[in-house]
Amino acid sequence: KLGHKKRALPPPADDDEAPEKVSRAEAIKASLVHAVKETPRAYARLFCPGGGDPDRPSASGAYVFYICFRRACRQNYTSFKSFFLGVVCLYIAIGFVLGALFTAGPEAPNVLGGYPLDICRTQYPELQGSCLDLQSNDYVTTIMTVLFIFIALSAATSASTFGCEKPQYWRECSVGLNTPAYFFAKVAADMPLCFVSIFALWAPFAAIFVTPMAPGDLFVALWLLNIFGYFSGYFISFFLPYRYCGLAAVAWSVWWGILFCGITLSMHSASQLKFLFYISPCFWFMNAYFNASTYHPYKRVREGRAKGEAYFMGVTRYASSYSLLVNFSSSLGWLILINFCLLFLDLWIITTTNVHKKK
């Protein structure tokens, strides 16, 4: 009390005095104000950690990234023999098997257009629409299986990046690990593996399964889809034990690669689920693939006497029926945006999970 008098402060409450009562509304208001003020600061410290104490300065983010990246590369690429046999040869074999499987029929995959307009006009009015539609499109129906396999393979592979070393991660977090630097180091170490695996799979597959789509365009689209699979594996491993990640990767690929690719379930038939189509990378991949393999080659005659005339009238009807109306470059742009959003979501989850365990 003497100290309070010297500083012209009111005397402190005695121990036996009853504490001041605060209403529930005031307590909730104080908690909200504290959360609004402190939450941004806490997140700022997590995403941009300081230099530590002056007596014991911590390592910079760039140095932590270098250390974690070097360690991750040693984990992923132990020897050239294991990398060549376990990645290159394996994915080349998968590409050959898929290409041979999808071309095993008596005829090569192709697009079969609708019947001529003068024939369809003689049909019943209820049948004229289906008469003009594409009778078959082997390119689109085949690539759906590829989507499912690609996403399941990449997600199951990348789930081990963070899923296999959770105890080590939390142990290092307790002594001040820079989580964003660690996360980006692990992702950067996985990117060469992502590129080489899809290249080894694409080369034999594109050589056997020939479409009007340029091979380079197909590679870029599959590579972006493979990146989504890797980011999906990170996302799955943050929530599930590693032993369940393989099964979850298959379910994840069924959800996006089959249900919401835009073909099995069209956007028109499930208009209440439009949001899921818009955030589905497989839907945008199908837009790009359909535009490059079917819509652009078969919409109009490219050369000869009939140049500029309609080739297959059913192509436009097919695109409208399945909402595959976005061109190739714009579809890839949406696919890149989804990948960046998923990468940021992965970073947010790993950085803000169990903050109390991080120093």
Side-chain angles (χ1 to χ4, degrees):
K1 292 183 179 181
L2 293 177
H4 284 72
K5 288 182 179 180
K6 290 181 180 179
R7 293 192 294 269
L9 297 175
D14 295 331
D15 295 338
D16 55 350
E17 291 183 4
E20 182 181 358
K21 293 185 178 180
V22 180
S23 64
R24 181 173 297 180
E26 292 178 351
I28 295 175
K29 179 182 177 181
S31 300
L32 292 176
V33 170
H34 178 77
V36 170
K37 290 182 178 179
E38 293 298 326
T39 301
R41 298 175 185 174
Y43 284 156
R45 288 193 296 268
L46 289 174
F47 285 95
C48 302
D53 299 330
D55 297 334
R56 293 186 60 187
S58 58
S60 64
Y63 186 66
V64 174
F65 174 87
Y66 168 72
I67 294 175
C68 295
F69 177 74
R70 186 175 61 179
R71 185 182 66 177
C73 288
R74 290 176 178 176
Q75 292 173 339
N76 290 349
Y77 317 105
T78 55
S79 66
F80 177 78
K81 180 180 179 181
S82 63
F83 175 76
F84 183 77
L85 295 178
V87 178
V88 179
C89 292
L90 175 63
Y91 280 88
I92 287 177
I94 294 174
F96 271 116
V97 170
L98 291 178
L101 182 63
F102 297 146
T103 57
E107 297 181 359
N110 205 343
V111 174
L112 181 61
Y115 293 95
L117 183 60
D118 54 348
I119 295 179
C120 292
R121 283 174 178 171
T122 62
Q123 305 297 319
Y124 290 105
E126 294 82 1
L127 300 177
Q128 290 182 3
S130 59
C131 180
L132 293 171
D133 285 341
L134 296 179
Q135 302 303 303
S136 67
N137 188 350
D138 297 334
Y139 300 143
V140 171
T141 55
T142 300
I143 206 67
M144 287 174 52
T145 308
V146 176
L147 295 183
F148 164 73
I149 296 174
F150 280 8
I151 295 178
L153 279 175
S154 54
T157 301
S158 63
S160 62
T161 299
F162 297 101
C164 285
E165 56 177 36
K166 287 182 180 180
Q168 294 87 339
Y169 168 71
W170 290 116
R171 184 178 65 246
E172 294 177 7
C173 280
S174 64
V175 294
L177 175 67
N178 188 327
T179 299
Y182 165 80
F183 174 79
F184 283 116
K186 299 285 285 185
V187 172
D190 275 352
M191 286 302 100
L193 184 63
C194 174
F195 180 85
V196 172
S197 62
I198 196 62
F199 183 85
L201 197 152
W202 160 82
F205 177 77
I208 300 174
F209 185 76
V210 181
T211 68
M213 187 178 186
D217 293 342
L218 179 60
F219 171 74
V220 173
L222 290 177
W223 182 38
L224 293 176
L225 194 68
N226 201 39
I227 292 175
F228 168 77
Y230 267 72
F231 293 168
S232 300
Y234 305 153
F235 181 82
I236 293 171
S237 65
F238 294 153
F239 294 98
L240 297 176
Y242 178 65
R243 62 181 179 271
Y244 300 125
C245 288
L247 185 60
V250 174
W252 182 270
S253 61
V254 169
W255 179 264
W256 297 116
I258 295 181
L259 292 181
F260 290 100
C261 68
I263 304 300
T264 306
L265 185 67
S266 67
M267 186 183 295
H268 292 304
S269 62
S271 57
Q272 66 276 14
L273 301 176
K274 280 186 177 181
F275 175 72
L276 292 175
F277 286 98
Y278 289 141
I279 65 173
S280 171
C282 298
F283 174 73
W284 298 112
F285 175 88
M286 290 303 301
N287 269 275
Y289 181 79
F290 175 79
N291 184 273
S293 68
T294 306
Y295 187 79
H296 182 73
Y298 294 107
K299 182 183 179 182
R300 298 192 180 278
V301 179
R302 298 296 168 188
E303 56 185 14
R305 248 181 224 184
K307 182 178 180 180
E309 296 182 4
Y311 195 160
F312 288 156
M313 296 184 62
V315 172
T316 304
R317 293 173 56 87
Y318 190 94
S320 300
S321 300
Y322 291 96
S323 300
L324 303 176
L325 303 172
V326 184
N327 60 32
F328 179 80
S329 57
S330 298
S331 299
L332 292 189
W334 286 108
L335 184 53
I336 292 173
L337 178 62
I338 291 174
N339 284 341
F340 272 110
C341 292
L342 183 56
L343 178 65
F344 177 77
L345 180 62
D346 290 339
L347 174 63
W348 182 270
I349 292 172
I350 193 175
T351 306
T352 59
T353 301
N354 293 333
V355 179
H356 62 281
K357 293 184 179 181
K358 301 177 180 179
K359 185 176 179 180

